[in-house]
Amino acid sequence: MPRLPLSGQCRCGQIKIDVSEAPIMTAACHCTGCQSMSSSAFSLTAMIPSSGFKVTQGYPVIGGLHGPQQHHYFCDHCMTWIFTRIEGVDAFVNVRPSIFDDHTWFVPFIETMTKEKLFWVQTPATHSYEGFPPFEDFDTLINEFVSAQETQPDNSGSRSD
């Protein structure tokens, strides 16, 4: 788990965020939409409780797909994809962990949409899904993720040298 609080910003620094609560789960998504929006083989997500997420500077704009199910928020200047809110899911925000000042702690716990992944891609995810996990599995996955993090050594990236 990361050391809290976490701070982050878009590429140009006009949008800044703070996170005060630990992620409830981490993921890599292989869908072709995420491949396009991230200009990469997959996107990364840290699912942050909504109560622990705050935009502290700037005004993110909706980009990528413009709803109705997902709202992807970007910096209007540098176009960095910062976070996503899912319509009807108010409990957490999907934050792109690579925007955190320290993201060395991040490892995807689940990977989704593997039916669309590029054939050469491998992640260390514990669970893989051809689509998205069934909604009824989320409580079990979250509990397993939190339990696994509690038993892991500190991988926050900080050094004591």
Side-chain angles (χ1 to χ4, degrees), residues 127-145:
H127 299 281
S128 293
Y129 295 89
E130 283 191 353
F132 290 107
F135 188 74
E136 57 271 11
D137 288 0
F138 266 84
D139 282 343
T140 302
L141 287 168
I142 289 167
N143 289 334
E144 186 180 335
F145 173 78

Side-chain angles (χ1 to χ4, degrees), residues 140-157:
T140 302
L141 287 168
I142 289 167
N143 289 334
E144 186 180 335
F145 173 78
V146 170
S147 293
Q149 300 311 301
E150 291 170 350
T151 62
Q152 294 296 315
D154 179 7
N155 65 345
S156 65

